[in-house]
Amino acid sequence: MRALLPTLLLVSPLALAGNIYKYTDANGVTTYTDQRVEGAQVIVFRDAMVENVDREVYVTKKRHAGGETLIVHNDLYAPVEIRLTVSNARNVLGAPSEPISWVLPPRQQIRLVTLQPTAGGTPSYDYRLEHALGDPRAEQTLTHYPLPWRGGPFRMTQGPGGRYSHTGVKGRYAIDIAMPEGTPIVAARAGQVVKIENNQSGRGTNPSGNFVRLLHDDGTMSVYLHLKRGSVQVREGERINPGQLLALSGNTGNSTGPHLHFVVQKNVGLQTVSIPFEFAQPVDSLPNFAIGGEP
């Protein structure tokens, strides 16, 4: 117990609400529990959805005779909602008094504001770009999804609002399904690949591990997380059909064991959030796409 105390003292009360304890008994059986166990390994869970898209949604400046134009770029294969705020403007004309909001289509850019220098003084200003994946006008058209894997039957280990990690806005309605590493993961519905990660080993640096994000035709998105390294079979920008192989299940990122973390999301209030859905059949049954799919 002495070795465990320093770790616990470094964890805030807020983080402790998302702790679980891992231990192996004398018979070699590994158990995960939210009850504190002497000598157990402490695993801290936070919102497991982390995607750094700052390099793909960004601002460039173009100087010209009339001043300087701020151009917002979206290099992603999905629309993004953007909000640009200009502040502390000095010796310039054209600075907006309120933030400018826009929905920027995939792989496009927009000249959002031009600032003109005034006579006398050095022009200066600050700007801030906020963005969120997805079009806030999207309306969910499918609420019952086919089981997105081949094989089984498997079991659900954590559902919506789970006490371990399904507490943040990005993963509140996510579902975890325990399955052997290497299980084929397939697209639950048609869509376009927005983002993938395929090179992470073990816990790595990204809590999501390896993943595939799909954009559906109704503007919602599904994400398949903790995939096996090097197993992703699709590329960003590719059009995907229901039931098409995406990758193999794994145990990467913030994962307690081999499983698939599946979540459906949309943009709400300049934030990509988890939204409710259900599987079209029990998790502990064999997948049957005939009872799911698009309406």
Side-chain angles (χ1 to χ4, degrees), residues 18-187:
N19 286 3
I20 65 172
Y21 301 87
K22 174 184 177 181
Y23 67 93
T24 303
D25 64 19
N27 297 318
V29 177
T30 299
T31 300
Y32 296 89
T33 177
D34 62 338
Q35 301 300 312
R36 184 172 174 176
V37 177
E38 184 174 356
Q41 176 187 353
V42 181
I43 300 175
V44 180
F45 278 88
R46 297 183 177 88
D47 197 341
M49 293 296 299
V50 177
E51 289 171 81
N52 185 3
V53 297
D54 290 343
R55 293 182 179 179
E56 291 146 300
V57 183
Y58 56 94
V59 176
T60 60
K61 300 177 183 179
K62 183 176 181 180
R63 294 182 179 179
H64 46 81
E68 192 166 77
T69 297
L70 300 182
I71 305 170
V72 181
H73 302 254
N74 175 19
D75 292 346
L76 295 167
Y77 289 94
V80 292
E81 182 183 14
I82 58 174
R83 181 163 62 197
L84 182 70
T85 303
V86 177
S87 60
N88 301 321
R90 295 182 178 85
N91 303 313
V92 295
L93 298 175
S97 57
E98 300 290 336
I100 302 175
S101 297
W102 199 264
V103 177
L104 191 53
R107 312 287 290 178
Q108 292 192 23
Q109 63 186 49
I110 184 173
R111 297 170 179 260
L112 213 53
V113 63
T114 294
L115 302 172
Q116 301 174 313
T118 60
T122 302
S124 65
Y125 62 92
D126 298 319
Y127 71 86
R128 181 175 60 140
L129 178 67
E130 300 169 86
H131 54 82
L133 275 170
D135 189 328
R137 299 165 295 188
E139 295 186 7
Q140 185 180 26
T141 60
L142 183 68
T143 57
H144 288 75
Y145 283 65
L147 302 181
W149 58 78
R150 297 177 190 159
F154 302 127
R155 64 184 179 89
M156 182 175 70
T157 55
Q158 188 178 190
R163 64 194 311 171
Y164 298 148
S165 60
H166 297 177
T167 54
V169 294
K170 290 184 177 181
R172 180 172 297 138
Y173 297 104
I175 294 179
D176 287 346
I177 306 95
M179 59 182 61
E181 188 170 343
T183 300
I185 303 302
V186 300

Side-chain angles (χ1 to χ4, degrees), residues 46-49 140 145 148-149 156-178 208 213 221-226 259-266 273-279 283:
R46 297 183 177 88
D47 197 341
M49 293 296 299
Q140 185 180 26
Y145 283 65
W149 58 78
M156 182 175 70
T157 55
Q158 188 178 190
R163 64 194 311 171
Y164 298 148
S165 60
H166 297 177
T167 54
V169 294
K170 290 184 177 181
R172 180 172 297 138
Y173 297 104
I175 294 179
D176 287 346
I177 306 95
S208 301
R213 173 180 288 275
M221 294 169 283
S222 58
V223 197
Y224 309 71
L225 288 84
H226 308 305
H259 77 286
L260 172 69
H261 175 111
F262 180 79
V263 65
V264 180
Q265 299 175 328
K266 65 168 291 186
V273 306
S274 170
I275 57 176
F277 78 96
E278 294 181 6
F279 284 127
V283 169

